[in-house]
Amino acid sequence: MGAETLTIIDNRTGRQYEIPIENDTIRAMDLRKIKVSDEDFGLMTYDPAFMNTASCKSRITFIDGDRGILRYRGYPIEQLAEKSTYLEVAYLLLYGELPTSAELKEWTWHITHHTFIHESIKKVMDGFHYDAHPMGMLIGMVGALSTFYPEAKNIFDKDCRQKQIYRMIAKVATIAAFSYRHRKGLPYAYPDNDLSYTGNFLNMMFKTTEVKYKPDPVLERALNVLFILHADHEQNCSTNAMRSIGSAHTDPYSALAGAAAALYGPLHGGANEAVLRMLNEIGTLEHVPEYIKRVKAGEFRLMGFGHRVYKNYDPRARIIKDVAYEVFEVTGKDPLLDIALELERIALEDEYFVKRKLYPNVDFYSGIIYQAMRFPVDMFPVLFAIPRTSGWIAQWQELLEDSEQKIARPRQIYLGAQERDYVPIEERQK
Ligand code: CMC
Protein backbone atom coordinates (compact mmCIF):
# COMPACT_ATOMS: atom_id res chain seq x y z
CA MET A 1 0.00 0.00 0.00
CA GLY A 2 1.27 3.50 -0.85
CA ALA A 3 1.54 6.50 1.42
CA GLU A 4 -1.56 7.60 3.32
CA THR A 5 -1.71 10.84 1.40
CA LEU A 6 -3.57 12.45 -1.45
CA THR A 7 -1.68 14.30 -4.17
CA ILE A 8 -3.57 17.16 -5.74
CA ILE A 9 -2.45 19.11 -8.79
CA ASP A 10 -4.08 22.51 -9.15
CA ASN A 11 -4.41 22.92 -12.91
CA ARG A 12 -4.91 26.66 -12.47
CA THR A 13 -1.34 27.06 -11.23
CA GLY A 14 0.31 23.72 -11.97
CA ARG A 15 1.24 23.45 -8.28
CA GLN A 16 1.15 20.10 -6.53
CA TYR A 17 0.00 19.49 -2.95
CA GLU A 18 0.24 16.47 -0.72
CA ILE A 19 -2.54 16.09 1.80
CA PRO A 20 -2.63 13.50 4.62
CA ILE A 21 -5.40 10.90 4.65
CA GLU A 22 -6.53 9.80 8.08
CA ASN A 23 -9.49 7.45 8.69
CA ASP A 24 -10.23 7.55 4.93
CA THR A 25 -10.76 11.27 5.26
CA ILE A 26 -8.93 14.43 4.30
CA ARG A 27 -9.23 17.54 6.40
CA ALA A 28 -11.12 20.26 4.61
CA MET A 29 -8.78 22.82 6.21
CA ASP A 30 -5.84 21.20 4.38
CA LEU A 31 -7.38 22.43 1.13
CA ARG A 32 -7.06 26.04 2.26
CA LYS A 33 -3.43 26.14 1.26
CA ILE A 34 -4.45 25.55 -2.36
CA LYS A 35 -4.47 29.10 -3.71
CA VAL A 36 -3.94 30.90 -6.99
CA SER A 37 -2.35 33.90 -5.27
CA ASP A 38 -1.35 35.02 -1.79
CA GLU A 39 -4.55 37.07 -1.47
CA ASP A 40 -6.72 34.10 -2.47
CA PHE A 41 -8.80 32.71 0.44
CA GLY A 42 -7.94 29.14 -0.52
CA LEU A 43 -9.96 26.18 -1.71
CA MET A 44 -13.09 25.10 0.16
CA THR A 45 -15.43 22.14 -0.24
CA TYR A 46 -19.07 22.64 -1.17
CA ASP A 47 -21.33 20.06 0.43
CA PRO A 48 -24.97 21.10 0.86
CA ALA A 49 -26.77 18.74 3.27
CA PHE A 50 -23.42 17.27 4.41
CA MET A 51 -23.64 14.47 1.86
CA ASN A 52 -19.94 13.64 2.18
CA THR A 53 -18.65 15.60 5.14
CA ALA A 54 -17.76 14.18 8.55
CA SER A 55 -18.43 16.87 11.16
CA CYS A 56 -16.98 14.98 14.11
CA LYS A 57 -15.14 11.91 15.31
CA SER A 58 -17.52 9.76 17.31
CA ARG A 59 -17.35 6.55 19.32
CA ILE A 60 -21.08 6.19 19.94
CA THR A 61 -22.99 4.73 16.99
CA PHE A 62 -21.79 2.85 13.93
CA ILE A 63 -23.89 2.52 10.79
CA ASP A 64 -23.01 0.68 7.60
CA GLY A 65 -25.84 1.79 5.36
CA ASP A 66 -24.96 -0.49 2.48
CA ARG A 67 -24.98 -3.59 4.63
CA GLY A 68 -27.84 -2.52 6.90
CA ILE A 69 -25.76 -2.56 10.10
CA LEU A 70 -26.42 -0.49 13.21
CA ARG A 71 -24.38 -0.79 16.41
CA TYR A 72 -24.33 1.23 19.62
CA ARG A 73 -20.83 1.32 21.15
CA GLY A 74 -20.05 -1.81 19.13
CA TYR A 75 -23.09 -3.83 20.21
CA PRO A 76 -25.39 -4.95 17.34
CA ILE A 77 -28.83 -3.36 17.55
CA GLU A 78 -30.45 -6.79 17.20
CA GLN A 79 -28.79 -8.03 20.42
CA LEU A 80 -29.63 -4.90 22.34
CA ALA A 81 -33.26 -5.02 21.17
CA GLU A 82 -33.55 -8.63 22.26
CA LYS A 83 -31.68 -8.54 25.56
CA SER A 84 -31.47 -5.03 26.93
CA THR A 85 -33.74 -2.30 28.27
CA TYR A 86 -34.00 1.31 27.19
CA LEU A 87 -32.38 2.66 30.37
CA GLU A 88 -29.48 0.24 30.08
CA VAL A 89 -28.99 1.32 26.45
CA ALA A 90 -29.17 4.99 27.45
CA TYR A 91 -26.38 4.31 29.95
CA LEU A 92 -24.36 2.52 27.28
CA LEU A 93 -24.73 5.41 24.85
CA LEU A 94 -23.75 7.98 27.44
CA TYR A 95 -20.89 6.23 29.22
CA GLY A 96 -19.56 3.85 26.60
CA GLU A 97 -19.99 0.53 28.44
CA LEU A 98 -22.89 -1.61 29.59
CA PRO A 99 -23.48 -0.93 33.29
CA THR A 100 -22.73 -3.45 36.05
CA SER A 101 -25.81 -4.35 38.07
CA ALA A 102 -24.82 -1.83 40.78
CA GLU A 103 -24.33 0.89 38.17
CA LEU A 104 -27.63 0.09 36.51
CA LYS A 105 -29.41 0.17 39.86
CA GLU A 106 -27.98 3.56 40.71
CA TRP A 107 -28.65 4.94 37.22
CA THR A 108 -32.25 3.70 37.29
CA TRP A 109 -32.75 5.13 40.78
CA HIS A 110 -31.59 8.58 39.67
CA ILE A 111 -33.73 8.60 36.53
CA THR A 112 -36.76 7.35 38.46
CA HIS A 113 -36.31 10.04 41.09
CA HIS A 114 -36.20 12.88 38.61
CA THR A 115 -39.44 12.14 36.77
CA PHE A 116 -41.54 14.71 38.61
CA ILE A 117 -41.80 18.13 37.05
CA HIS A 118 -42.12 21.42 38.93
CA GLU A 119 -45.76 22.39 39.42
CA SER A 120 -45.02 25.68 37.67
CA ILE A 121 -43.93 23.75 34.59
CA LYS A 122 -47.35 22.15 34.67
CA LYS A 123 -48.83 25.65 34.58
CA VAL A 124 -46.78 26.43 31.47
CA MET A 125 -48.30 23.30 29.95
CA ASP A 126 -51.79 24.46 30.95
CA GLY A 127 -51.25 27.58 28.85
CA PHE A 128 -51.23 25.62 25.60
CA HIS A 129 -54.37 25.61 23.51
CA TYR A 130 -56.52 22.47 23.77
CA ASP A 131 -55.54 21.29 20.28
CA ALA A 132 -51.82 22.15 20.44
CA HIS A 133 -49.66 19.54 18.74
CA PRO A 134 -47.91 17.47 21.44
CA MET A 135 -44.57 17.81 19.66
CA GLY A 136 -44.92 21.60 19.73
CA MET A 137 -45.68 21.35 23.45
CA LEU A 138 -42.69 19.08 24.03
CA ILE A 139 -40.34 21.46 22.22
CA GLY A 140 -41.67 24.42 24.20
CA MET A 141 -41.64 22.64 27.53
CA VAL A 142 -38.16 21.20 27.18
CA GLY A 143 -36.93 24.69 26.31
CA ALA A 144 -38.80 26.07 29.33
CA LEU A 145 -36.90 23.66 31.60
CA SER A 146 -33.78 25.75 31.04
CA THR A 147 -35.46 28.59 32.94
CA PHE A 148 -36.15 26.28 35.88
CA TYR A 149 -32.58 24.99 36.05
CA PRO A 150 -30.38 28.01 35.29
CA GLU A 151 -27.35 26.20 36.76
CA ALA A 152 -27.49 23.94 33.67
CA LYS A 153 -25.36 26.54 31.88
CA ASN A 154 -22.37 25.18 33.78
CA ILE A 155 -21.83 22.65 31.07
CA PHE A 156 -18.19 21.96 31.97
CA ASP A 157 -19.01 21.14 35.59
CA LYS A 158 -19.31 17.36 35.40
CA ASP A 159 -21.52 16.92 38.49
CA CYS A 160 -23.88 19.62 37.33
CA ARG A 161 -24.00 18.11 33.85
CA GLN A 162 -24.76 14.70 35.32
CA LYS A 163 -27.73 16.12 37.20
CA GLN A 164 -29.14 17.64 34.02
CA ILE A 165 -28.70 14.30 32.25
CA TYR A 166 -30.87 12.58 34.87
CA ARG A 167 -33.40 15.34 34.62
CA MET A 168 -33.62 15.40 30.84
CA ILE A 169 -34.03 11.65 30.39
CA ALA A 170 -36.53 11.45 33.25
CA LYS A 171 -38.60 14.53 32.58
CA VAL A 172 -38.93 14.22 28.83
CA ALA A 173 -41.20 11.19 29.35
CA THR A 174 -43.31 13.05 31.91
CA ILE A 175 -43.67 16.11 29.68
CA ALA A 176 -44.55 13.89 26.73
CA ALA A 177 -47.29 12.09 28.65
CA PHE A 178 -48.60 15.33 30.15
CA SER A 179 -48.85 16.88 26.68
CA TYR A 180 -51.17 14.01 25.73
CA ARG A 181 -53.26 14.37 28.89
CA HIS A 182 -53.52 18.11 28.33
CA ARG A 183 -54.87 17.61 24.83
CA LYS A 184 -57.38 15.06 26.04
CA GLY A 185 -58.46 17.28 28.91
CA LEU A 186 -57.51 14.50 31.33
CA PRO A 187 -55.96 15.12 34.75
CA TYR A 188 -52.22 14.57 34.73
CA ALA A 189 -51.18 11.12 35.95
CA TYR A 190 -48.12 11.46 38.15
CA PRO A 191 -45.07 9.22 37.80
CA ASP A 192 -45.09 5.90 39.64
CA ASN A 193 -41.63 5.03 41.00
CA ASP A 194 -42.46 1.32 41.25
CA LEU A 195 -42.63 0.98 37.47
CA SER A 196 -39.98 0.67 34.79
CA TYR A 197 -39.21 3.62 32.51
CA THR A 198 -41.60 2.42 29.80
CA GLY A 199 -44.12 1.01 32.28
CA ASN A 200 -44.26 4.37 34.03
CA PHE A 201 -44.65 6.15 30.71
CA LEU A 202 -47.67 3.98 29.89
CA ASN A 203 -48.97 4.75 33.39
CA MET A 204 -48.66 8.51 32.87
CA MET A 205 -50.33 8.20 29.47
CA PHE A 206 -53.22 5.87 30.14
CA LYS A 207 -53.97 5.64 33.87
CA THR A 208 -57.57 6.47 34.63
CA THR A 209 -59.44 5.40 37.77
CA GLU A 210 -57.35 2.42 38.85
CA VAL A 211 -55.47 2.90 42.12
CA LYS A 212 -52.35 1.29 40.69
CA TYR A 213 -51.77 1.13 36.94
CA LYS A 214 -50.44 -2.21 35.73
CA PRO A 215 -48.80 -1.98 32.33
CA ASP A 216 -49.30 -4.92 30.00
CA PRO A 217 -45.89 -6.67 30.01
CA VAL A 218 -45.96 -7.29 26.24
CA LEU A 219 -46.67 -3.62 25.50
CA GLU A 220 -44.16 -2.46 28.10
CA ARG A 221 -41.51 -4.66 26.46
CA ALA A 222 -42.52 -3.58 22.94
CA LEU A 223 -42.11 0.05 23.94
CA ASN A 224 -38.72 -0.81 25.42
CA VAL A 225 -37.62 -2.29 22.10
CA LEU A 226 -38.94 0.69 20.15
CA PHE A 227 -37.15 3.07 22.53
CA ILE A 228 -33.90 1.11 22.15
CA LEU A 229 -34.16 1.27 18.36
CA HIS A 230 -34.77 5.01 18.39
CA ALA A 231 -32.15 5.94 20.97
CA ASP A 232 -29.40 7.08 18.61
CA HIS A 233 -28.58 7.19 14.94
CA GLU A 234 -25.27 9.05 14.70
CA GLN A 235 -25.16 12.35 12.79
CA ASN A 236 -28.76 12.72 11.61
CA CYS A 237 -30.52 16.06 11.22
CA SER A 238 -31.66 16.47 14.85
CA THR A 239 -28.36 15.23 16.32
CA ASN A 240 -26.55 17.65 14.10
CA ALA A 241 -28.86 20.37 15.46
CA MET A 242 -28.07 19.30 19.03
CA ARG A 243 -24.33 19.41 18.35
CA SER A 244 -24.56 22.66 16.45
CA ILE A 245 -26.50 24.44 19.19
CA GLY A 246 -24.35 22.76 21.85
CA SER A 247 -21.22 24.04 20.13
CA ALA A 248 -22.26 27.56 21.14
CA HIS A 249 -22.14 26.29 24.77
CA THR A 250 -25.89 26.77 25.12
CA ASP A 251 -27.46 25.00 28.09
CA PRO A 252 -28.57 21.43 27.29
CA TYR A 253 -32.33 22.05 27.66
CA SER A 254 -32.27 24.76 25.00
CA ALA A 255 -30.12 22.57 22.76
CA LEU A 256 -32.51 19.66 23.31
CA ALA A 257 -35.47 21.83 22.33
CA GLY A 258 -33.67 22.69 19.08
CA ALA A 259 -32.91 19.04 18.39
CA ALA A 260 -36.55 18.11 19.01
CA ALA A 261 -37.63 20.88 16.62
CA ALA A 262 -35.45 19.33 13.90
CA LEU A 263 -36.92 15.91 14.65
CA TYR A 264 -40.45 17.31 14.20
CA GLY A 265 -39.99 17.68 10.42
CA PRO A 266 -41.83 15.19 8.16
CA LEU A 267 -38.58 14.13 6.49
CA HIS A 268 -37.18 13.12 9.87
CA GLY A 269 -39.04 12.05 13.03
CA GLY A 270 -42.34 13.32 11.71
CA ALA A 271 -42.29 10.57 9.09
CA ASN A 272 -44.00 7.95 11.28
CA GLU A 273 -46.97 10.27 11.64
CA ALA A 274 -46.92 10.83 7.87
CA VAL A 275 -46.87 7.05 7.27
CA LEU A 276 -50.04 6.54 9.25
CA ARG A 277 -51.79 9.37 7.45
CA MET A 278 -50.64 7.85 4.16
CA LEU A 279 -51.91 4.36 5.07
CA ASN A 280 -55.25 5.82 6.10
CA GLU A 281 -55.45 7.77 2.88
CA ILE A 282 -54.79 4.63 0.84
CA GLY A 283 -57.56 2.99 2.83
CA THR A 284 -57.86 -0.39 1.11
CA LEU A 285 -55.56 -2.94 -0.51
CA GLU A 286 -56.99 -2.27 -3.99
CA HIS A 287 -55.78 1.33 -3.85
CA VAL A 288 -52.13 0.34 -3.30
CA PRO A 289 -51.04 -0.07 -6.97
CA GLU A 290 -52.58 3.27 -7.93
CA TYR A 291 -50.83 4.94 -4.99
CA ILE A 292 -47.46 3.47 -6.01
CA LYS A 293 -48.07 4.74 -9.54
CA ARG A 294 -48.54 8.28 -8.22
CA VAL A 295 -45.37 8.01 -6.11
CA LYS A 296 -43.43 6.96 -9.18
CA ALA A 297 -44.91 9.85 -11.15
CA GLY A 298 -43.30 12.13 -8.56
CA GLU A 299 -46.59 13.39 -7.07
CA PHE A 300 -45.40 12.59 -3.55
CA ARG A 301 -43.02 10.31 -1.68
CA LEU A 302 -43.76 6.96 -0.17
CA MET A 303 -43.42 7.86 3.49
CA GLY A 304 -41.41 5.46 5.63
CA PHE A 305 -39.31 4.53 2.62
CA GLY A 306 -35.79 5.58 1.76
CA HIS A 307 -32.95 6.77 3.91
CA ARG A 308 -29.94 8.99 3.47
CA VAL A 309 -27.62 6.35 4.90
CA TYR A 310 -29.33 2.97 4.51
CA LYS A 311 -29.26 1.73 0.96
CA ASN A 312 -30.46 -1.63 2.24
CA TYR A 313 -33.25 -2.74 4.58
CA ASP A 314 -33.11 -0.54 7.70
CA PRO A 315 -32.20 -3.07 10.45
CA ARG A 316 -34.55 -1.28 12.82
CA ALA A 317 -37.50 -1.80 10.44
CA ARG A 318 -36.88 -5.55 10.48
CA ILE A 319 -37.00 -5.71 14.28
CA ILE A 320 -40.04 -3.46 14.46
CA LYS A 321 -41.93 -5.65 12.02
CA ASP A 322 -41.46 -8.61 14.40
CA VAL A 323 -42.51 -6.53 17.39
CA ALA A 324 -45.67 -5.57 15.52
CA TYR A 325 -46.86 -9.16 15.50
CA GLU A 326 -46.20 -9.52 19.25
CA VAL A 327 -48.17 -6.37 19.97
CA PHE A 328 -51.08 -7.47 17.78
CA GLU A 329 -51.37 -10.65 19.89
CA VAL A 330 -52.47 -8.35 22.70
CA THR A 331 -54.22 -5.51 20.90
CA GLY A 332 -55.67 -7.29 17.88
CA LYS A 333 -54.36 -6.73 14.38
CA ASP A 334 -54.44 -3.28 12.87
CA PRO A 335 -56.01 -3.50 9.38
CA LEU A 336 -53.45 -0.94 8.18
CA LEU A 337 -50.79 -3.65 8.55
CA ASP A 338 -52.08 -5.42 5.44
CA ILE A 339 -51.82 -2.21 3.43
CA ALA A 340 -48.28 -1.66 4.72
CA LEU A 341 -47.25 -5.21 3.85
CA GLU A 342 -48.69 -4.87 0.37
CA LEU A 343 -46.95 -1.51 -0.17
CA GLU A 344 -43.69 -3.07 0.95
CA ARG A 345 -44.17 -6.14 -1.25
CA ILE A 346 -44.83 -4.09 -4.38
CA ALA A 347 -42.15 -1.50 -3.66
CA LEU A 348 -39.45 -4.10 -3.04
CA GLU A 349 -40.14 -5.63 -6.46
CA ASP A 350 -40.65 -2.42 -8.37
CA GLU A 351 -37.78 -1.13 -10.50
CA TYR A 352 -38.28 2.49 -9.39
CA PHE A 353 -37.59 1.59 -5.73
CA VAL A 354 -35.02 -1.12 -6.46
CA LYS A 355 -32.94 1.19 -8.64
CA ARG A 356 -32.95 3.93 -6.03
CA LYS A 357 -32.32 1.45 -3.19
CA LEU A 358 -35.44 2.56 -1.35
CA TYR A 359 -36.31 0.20 1.51
CA PRO A 360 -38.65 0.53 4.48
CA ASN A 361 -37.09 2.64 7.21
CA VAL A 362 -37.67 2.72 10.97
CA ASP A 363 -40.83 4.77 10.59
CA PHE A 364 -42.64 2.43 8.26
CA TYR A 365 -43.96 -0.01 10.88
CA SER A 366 -43.50 1.90 14.14
CA GLY A 367 -46.62 3.98 13.59
CA ILE A 368 -48.81 0.91 13.16
CA ILE A 369 -47.58 -0.45 16.49
CA TYR A 370 -48.09 2.86 18.22
CA GLN A 371 -51.61 3.09 16.85
CA ALA A 372 -52.39 -0.44 18.05
CA MET A 373 -51.14 0.63 21.50
CA ARG A 374 -53.69 3.49 21.43
CA PHE A 375 -51.22 6.33 20.94
CA PRO A 376 -52.79 9.05 18.80
CA VAL A 377 -51.00 9.78 15.53
CA ASP A 378 -49.67 13.17 16.56
CA MET A 379 -47.90 11.56 19.55
CA PHE A 380 -45.67 9.54 17.21
CA PRO A 381 -42.87 12.09 16.81
CA VAL A 382 -43.00 12.59 20.57
CA LEU A 383 -42.50 8.85 21.01
CA PHE A 384 -39.39 9.21 18.85
CA ALA A 385 -38.10 12.19 20.84
CA ILE A 386 -38.32 10.48 24.25
CA PRO A 387 -35.66 7.82 23.59
CA ARG A 388 -33.65 9.95 21.17
CA THR A 389 -33.04 12.29 24.13
CA SER A 390 -30.36 9.91 25.45
CA GLY A 391 -28.65 9.82 22.04
CA TRP A 392 -28.75 13.59 21.71
CA ILE A 393 -27.23 14.01 25.16
CA ALA A 394 -24.55 11.39 24.51
CA GLN A 395 -23.57 13.21 21.32
CA TRP A 396 -23.65 16.57 23.06
CA GLN A 397 -21.44 15.27 25.86
CA GLU A 398 -18.99 13.82 23.34
CA LEU A 399 -18.87 17.19 21.59
CA LEU A 400 -18.06 19.01 24.84
CA GLU A 401 -15.22 16.62 25.59
CA ASP A 402 -13.75 16.82 22.08
CA SER A 403 -10.87 19.29 22.04
CA GLU A 404 -11.07 19.57 18.24
CA GLN A 405 -14.60 20.98 18.33
CA LYS A 406 -15.39 24.68 18.16
CA ILE A 407 -18.53 26.68 17.54
CA ALA A 408 -20.14 25.23 14.39
CA ARG A 409 -19.85 27.71 11.58
CA PRO A 410 -20.11 26.52 7.97
CA ARG A 411 -18.80 28.58 5.09
CA GLN A 412 -20.85 29.65 2.09
CA ILE A 413 -20.36 30.40 -1.56
CA TYR A 414 -21.59 33.93 -1.98
CA LEU A 415 -23.35 34.43 -5.32
CA GLY A 416 -25.30 37.59 -4.52
CA ALA A 417 -24.91 41.17 -5.70
CA GLN A 418 -21.52 42.87 -5.53
CA GLU A 419 -21.15 46.14 -3.63
CA ARG A 420 -23.62 48.83 -4.72
CA ASP A 421 -24.88 52.13 -3.32
CA TYR A 422 -28.07 52.55 -1.33
CA VAL A 423 -30.97 53.83 -3.49
CA PRO A 424 -33.45 56.29 -1.86
CA ILE A 425 -36.99 54.86 -1.93
CA GLU A 426 -38.35 57.51 -4.34
CA GLU A 427 -35.70 56.57 -6.88
CA ARG A 428 -36.33 52.82 -6.81
CA GLN A 429 -37.92 51.24 -9.83
CA LYS A 430 -39.84 47.96 -9.86
N1 CMC B 1 -40.56 7.76 -2.14
C1 CMC B 1 -40.31 7.90 -3.45
N2 CMC B 1 -39.14 8.29 -3.97
C2 CMC B 1 -38.16 8.53 -3.11
C3 CMC B 1 -38.32 8.40 -1.72
C4 CMC B 1 -39.57 7.99 -1.24
N3 CMC B 1 -39.79 7.84 0.07
N4 CMC B 1 -37.17 8.71 -1.09
C5 CMC B 1 -36.30 9.04 -2.07
N5 CMC B 1 -36.91 8.92 -3.28
C6 CMC B 1 -36.29 9.12 -4.59
C7 CMC B 1 -36.09 10.60 -4.88
O1 CMC B 1 -37.20 11.14 -5.54
C8 CMC B 1 -34.85 10.55 -5.75
O2 CMC B 1 -35.23 10.13 -7.03
P1 CMC B 1 -34.51 10.76 -8.33
O3 CMC B 1 -33.08 10.30 -8.25
O4 CMC B 1 -35.26 10.22 -9.48
O5 CMC B 1 -34.63 12.26 -8.20
C9 CMC B 1 -34.01 9.44 -5.13
O6 CMC B 1 -34.98 8.55 -4.52
C10 CMC B 1 -33.03 9.90 -4.07
O7 CMC B 1 -33.73 10.70 -3.11
P2 CMC B 1 -33.06 11.85 -2.24
O8 CMC B 1 -34.11 12.82 -1.85
O9 CMC B 1 -31.86 12.38 -2.96
O10 CMC B 1 -32.55 11.03 -1.00
P3 CMC B 1 -32.13 11.65 0.38
O11 CMC B 1 -31.06 10.79 0.91
O12 CMC B 1 -31.86 13.09 0.29
O13 CMC B 1 -33.46 11.50 1.25
C11 CMC B 1 -35.07 10.79 2.80
C12 CMC B 1 -33.63 10.62 2.28
C13 CMC B 1 -35.28 9.92 4.04
C14 CMC B 1 -35.31 12.25 3.19
C15 CMC B 1 -36.04 10.37 1.66
O14 CMC B 1 -35.82 9.03 1.30
C16 CMC B 1 -37.50 10.60 2.03
O15 CMC B 1 -38.01 11.71 1.85
N6 CMC B 1 -38.22 9.54 2.56
C17 CMC B 1 -39.57 9.71 3.00
C18 CMC B 1 -39.59 10.32 4.39
C19 CMC B 1 -39.17 9.33 5.46
O16 CMC B 1 -39.61 8.18 5.49
N7 CMC B 1 -38.32 9.80 6.37
C20 CMC B 1 -37.86 9.00 7.51
C21 CMC B 1 -36.39 8.76 7.46
S1 CMC B 1 -35.89 7.52 8.65
C22 CMC B 1 -36.11 8.21 10.18
C23 CMC B 1 -35.33 9.44 10.43
O17 CMC B 1 -34.15 9.52 10.08
O18 CMC B 1 -35.91 10.34 11.00
Side-chain angles (χ1 to χ4, degrees):
M1 194 152 116
E4 289 285 301
T5 59
L6 177 73
T7 302
I8 298 175
I9 298 170
D10 185 347
N11 292 323
R12 298 171 301 175
T13 59
R15 271 191 226 126
Q16 183 170 313
Y17 303 84
E18 193 164 349
I19 289 181
I21 298 175
E22 194 192 334
N23 303 312
D24 294 329
T25 310
I26 59 161
R27 283 183 182 259
M29 279 305 285
D30 283 344
L31 300 176
R32 248 331 154 71
K33 61 185 175 202
I34 304 178
K35 299 178 176 200
V36 283
S37 66
D38 284 347
E39 297 77 55
D40 185 3
F41 182 76
L43 211 61
M44 293 193 303
T45 55
Y46 174 55
D47 189 12
F50 302 118
M51 296 289 284
N52 197 36
T53 294
S55 63
C56 62
K57 290 177 180 166
S58 182
R59 292 180 166 77
I60 301 173
T61 292
F62 172 79
I63 301 176
D64 182 333
D66 291 329
R67 291 195 289 154
I69 292 174
L70 170 61
R71 295 182 202 131
Y72 295 158
R73 301 280 190 187
Y75 294 102
I77 194 67
E78 294 78 6
Q79 290 183 26
L80 293 170
E82 188 191 334
K83 298 180 177 147
S84 190
T85 62
Y86 168 65
L87 277 193
E88 187 178 65
V89 165
Y91 185 99
L92 172 70
L93 289 169
L94 277 152
Y95 308 109
E97 297 296 336
L98 286 167
T100 61
S101 51
E103 284 165 342
L104 182 61
K105 202 166 157 207
E106 194 195 341
W107 168 244
T108 306
W109 190 91
H110 281 297
I111 301 291
T112 308
H113 287 80
H114 282 93
T115 47
F116 272 68
I117 56 172
H118 196 290
E119 288 291 298
S120 298
I121 300 183
K122 247 178 50 189
K123 288 190 199 134
V124 178
M125 174 78 80
D126 288 338
F128 282 103
H129 206 45
Y130 72 94
D131 60 354
H133 194 290
M135 193 63 179
M137 285 193 252
L138 183 91
I139 294 165
M141 299 294 293
V142 169
L145 286 181
S146 79
T147 66
F148 287 83
Y149 306 113
E151 74 277 16
K153 319 186 159 61
N154 300 318
I155 53 172
F156 292 108
D157 173 334
K158 283 205 170 169
D159 292 340
C160 179
R161 199 158 80 198
Q162 188 56 51
K163 183 109 182 238
Q164 313 319 318
I165 291 174
Y166 296 141
R167 283 178 173 151
M168 284 184 280
I169 293 177
K171 293 185 199 311
V172 75
T174 311
I175 290 172
F178 281 21
S179 69
Y180 166 78
R181 308 281 294 200
H182 176 71
R183 279 205 66 171
K184 295 282 273 186
L186 289 166
Y188 300 122
Y190 282 78
D192 180 342
N193 286 2
D194 296 334
L195 298 175
S196 72
Y197 188 84
T198 51
N200 175 49
F201 178 61
L202 290 169
N203 159 66
M204 292 188 292
M205 285 286 301
F206 299 123
K207 184 175 191 290
T208 48
T209 53
E210 59 273 55
V211 178
K212 186 101 181 149
Y213 179 86
K214 284 204 193 76
D216 183 291
V218 174
L219 303 188
E220 186 181 1
R221 177 70 204 150
L223 204 53
N224 235 316
V225 174
L226 285 155
F227 279 9
I228 290 169
L229 299 181
H230 284 88
D232 194 50
H233 213 230
E234 51 118 309
Q235 307 313 312
N236 54 82
C237 177
S238 56
T239 301
N240 183 55
M242 181 82 191
R243 278 181 174 263
S244 188
I245 299 169
S247 76
H249 294 174
T250 308
D251 75 84
Y253 299 101
S254 304
L256 203 68
L263 186 72
Y264 195 4
L267 297 187
H268 192 9
N272 51 15
E273 184 175 350
V275 170
L276 244 276
R277 296 196 197 287
M278 173 186 81
L279 293 175
N280 278 314
E281 192 192 325
I282 296 172
T284 62
L285 280 178
E286 303 82 69
H287 293 148
V288 171
E290 174 60 22
Y291 198 84
I292 296 263
K293 212 192 263 175
R294 292 175 65 194
V295 169
K296 285 161 61 180
E299 274 187 56
F300 37 69
R301 292 192 165 197
L302 189 57
M303 298 314 284
F305 259 70
H307 199 275
R308 170 61 58 80
V309 179
Y310 293 117
K311 301 302 167 195
N312 199 322
Y313 212 100
D314 181 338
R316 302 169 298 173
R318 212 183 290 283
I319 300 167
I320 289 182
K321 202 170 161 184
D322 293 342
V323 172
Y325 288 103
E326 288 164 27
V327 167
F328 294 156
E329 290 281 314
V330 177
T331 61
K333 196 174 105 186
D334 189 318
L336 293 180
L337 178 69
D338 288 334
I339 299 175
L341 288 170
E342 182 62 1
L343 269 180
E344 181 185 334
R345 190 189 65 76
I346 297 182
L348 291 183
E349 287 172 0
D350 190 293
E351 206 222 323
Y352 174 94
F353 296 90
V354 174
K355 206 173 95 197
R356 290 170 178 77
K357 298 189 176 165
L358 299 170
Y359 293 87
N361 60 47
V362 68
D363 291 318
F364 193 62
Y365 287 105
S366 58
I368 305 177
I369 304 184
Y370 289 145
Q371 175 156 284
M373 290 172 80
R374 292 202 297 124
F375 289 107
V377 172
D378 51 16
M379 275 298 282
F380 295 179
V382 172
L383 291 161
F384 195 153
I386 298 169
R388 184 54 62 87
T389 295
S390 59
W392 286 329
I393 304 171
Q395 300 272 352
W396 167 75
Q397 186 152 258
E398 191 176 61
L399 165 104
L400 294 181
E401 290 171 355
D402 182 345
S403 59
E404 280 200 293
Q405 290 293 341
K406 290 169 180 283
I407 185 165
R409 177 45 168 106
R411 291 279 172 181
Q412 64 166 9
I413 300 170
Y414 179 71
L415 299 176
Q418 294 303 311
E419 185 180 3
R420 48 186 173 163
D421 289 327
Y422 180 82
V423 182
I425 195 159
E426 58 280 7
E427 290 174 25
R428 286 176 218 162
Q429 288 175 358
K430 190 107 176 113

